[in-house]
Amino acid sequence: MRDKTLDHLRCLAMLQVIVVHALYWPDFFSSARINLYKSLLLFEMPLFFFVTGASSGYSREESPWTFVRKRWLRILIPYWVYALICAALSIAHAAGTAGAVEGKEALRILLSWILPINRQITELPYLDYAVWFVPVYLAVTAVLPLLREMRKSRAGGIACAFALGLLYALSLKAEAGWLRYPAFYLLWTFAGLYYPEIRRAGTARWYLPAALSALALLGLRLAGQNLDMQVHKFPPDPVFLVFSIFWMSLLLAGRKGLDAAMDRAQRVPVLSRLVDCFSHRTTTVFLYQSFAFYASAGISTLLVPARLPWIRLLVCFPLTLLFCVLLAAVFGPIEGRIRRRGKGKTAGNDRGEEKPG
């Protein structure tokens, strides 16, 4: 049996991704104040990696190589299919703009998409906006077997938490910002490994860290700190860490309410389809949302005048959800087959399968 709360958290994280990207990607409106308000919703990636840790902690015991191989294939195969489509579109667009594309340039574009560690080459909007996540997820997953082993004992867990904290602190000093992404999201993945204890504990205890982190953010604001989280998220700095603790504490405190709300939503057929899609086809939706935004933002811009940015947003968001569900119906079976092939027996009951975030 799947863990209902983890499915609901996955769905919430994916919905939050669409909300955030609807606010940022089409850029219907922007100002310092609006950017500050928009950034207060940027908690989706810590949640994704928390769920990754929680669900992988429930998976069966297997060799580190098998564990990593399965999870890399779960993200890489859907990504490579997406990358080939994006590379073809990017090459076609470049050819249409320049009249022709030399073979070396076409190969360069193709390789930039096939190798997720590179910066993808494209002139088309949205296609490469979210794929920064792929190498970060691969790096985090490579370390997960060690985290799972360390987490088995209290002393190992404490040592691991200290080591991850030290790694993140060192990453703040490193000139290469790319190091900070896996260092930061490893913290949340490791926290997710303690989901069974979190689930058994009461929800009220999470209001204290939420209140303390809120006070810390308020203090930073009064001290003149810019709290636009878009500034602090890329790469994630200590301000974004405090912000993430605030939101994650609130979510853990309110998880029973989230379950109740999702259960009610699933009584409505349309919403049930959406929840099911975002809970079980997370990788597909995360990747192909770029196509959904390309269509929905274009339609919103065509139908609604620029002087009505909020109306554009209200048109863009539901259209994006619709297109995401349709794209998941087309490309989701790839993700589904990979998961069924790698699925094994798990220990215990009420377990959730891993979904990358």
Side-chain angles (χ1 to χ4, degrees):
M1 182 178 178
R2 293 179 65 93
D3 187 303
K4 179 175 68 174
T5 301
L6 283 183
D7 277 342
H8 292 164
L9 289 173
R10 269 191 211 99
C11 179
L12 176 65
M14 195 63 247
L15 280 171
Q16 189 61 22
V17 165
I18 302 300
V19 169
V20 166
H21 291 167
L23 289 170
Y24 280 97
W25 284 8
D27 198 23
F28 291 140
F29 43 81
S30 182
S31 71
R33 178 171 293 183
I34 288 176
N35 287 341
L36 172 62
Y37 294 152
K38 289 194 296 186
S39 76
L40 296 179
L41 299 175
L42 291 173
F43 61 86
E44 73 285 358
M45 296 315 296
L47 176 56
F48 262 129
F49 280 95
F50 176 87
V51 173
T52 294
S55 51
S56 65
Y58 276 143
S59 60
R60 65 176 179 174
E61 290 293 330
E62 51 196 354
S63 70
W65 164 244
T66 301
F67 180 92
V68 173
R69 176 179 58 83
K70 286 181 179 180
R71 280 147 187 83
W72 276 25
L73 290 177
R74 287 180 185 181
I75 187 69
L76 283 174
I77 291 178
Y79 170 75
W80 281 330
V81 174
Y82 173 77
L84 288 173
I85 297 172
C86 291
L89 291 173
S90 301
I91 293 170
H93 182 267
T97 302
V101 175
E102 295 183 358
K104 289 184 178 180
E105 179 62 17
L107 180 60
R108 192 168 75 95
I109 294 173
L110 176 61
L111 290 178
S112 77
W113 279 98
I114 295 299
L115 303 175
I117 59 174
N118 294 330
R119 182 172 179 83
Q120 293 73 26
I121 301 173
T122 185
E123 295 296 326
L124 294 170
Y126 310 125
L127 297 189
D128 62 333
Y129 286 12
V131 295
W132 66 269
F133 151 79
V134 176
V136 176
Y137 178 78
L138 295 177
V140 167
T141 304
V143 184
L144 253 177
L146 176 61
L147 300 187
R148 295 204 314 167
E149 189 65 29
M150 296 290 288
R151 181 253 184 273
K152 291 179 180 179
S153 68
R154 175 173 294 185
I158 293 173
C160 192
F162 177 80
L164 291 176
L166 180 60
L167 175 65
Y168 178 64
L170 292 174
S171 75
L172 297 175
K173 303 293 185 181
E175 293 184 6
W178 60 266
L179 178 62
R180 204 183 305 171
Y181 291 95
F184 179 82
Y185 290 111
L186 273 170
L187 291 172
W188 289 109
T189 306
F190 182 67
L193 291 174
Y194 287 87
Y195 174 73
E197 288 84 351
I198 292 172
R199 181 177 168 177
R200 289 193 295 269
T203 56
R205 67 174 56 188
W206 296 104
Y207 287 113
L208 178 59
L212 292 176
S213 53
L215 288 174
L217 291 171
L218 178 61
L220 289 171
R221 180 64 174 173
L222 294 176
Q225 176 68 59
N226 177 14
L227 291 187
D228 182 349
M229 290 301 152
Q230 187 77 349
V231 175
H232 300 287
K233 183 180 178 181
F234 297 104
D237 63 14
V239 176
F240 189 69
L241 176 60
V242 175
F243 171 81
S244 302
I245 292 172
F246 167 74
W247 271 113
M248 286 300 302
S249 298
L250 280 186
L251 287 173
L252 293 176
R255 64 184 185 272
K256 291 183 179 179
L258 173 66
D259 285 338
M262 289 290 188
D263 287 341
R264 288 194 296 270
Q266 288 182 288
R267 298 190 190 108
V268 180
V270 173
L271 296 180
S272 178
R273 178 67 181 272
L274 182 71
V275 172
D276 183 71
C277 175
F278 281 20
S279 299
H280 297 80
R281 293 293 179 262
T282 315
T283 303
T284 301
V285 175
F286 194 92
L287 291 172
Y288 289 92
Q289 63 174 304
S290 59
F291 295 156
F293 272 107
Y294 194 86
S296 60
I299 293 172
S300 303
T301 302
L302 181 65
L303 296 180
V304 183
R307 68 177 184 275
L308 301 172
W310 285 102
I311 303 301
R312 281 187 173 182
L313 175 64
L314 292 175
V315 172
C316 177
F317 179 65
L319 281 177
T320 303
L321 296 179
L322 173 62
F323 290 139
C324 281
V325 172
L326 294 176
L327 288 164
V330 175
F331 296 101
I334 297 172
E335 179 181 355
R337 282 196 292 270
I338 296 169
R339 292 190 178 282
R340 285 192 296 272
R341 190 183 309 160
K343 185 177 180 181
K345 185 177 179 181
T346 56
N349 297 317
D350 200 24
R351 301 307 195 222
E353 297 175 44
E354 180 185 11
K355 294 282 185 182

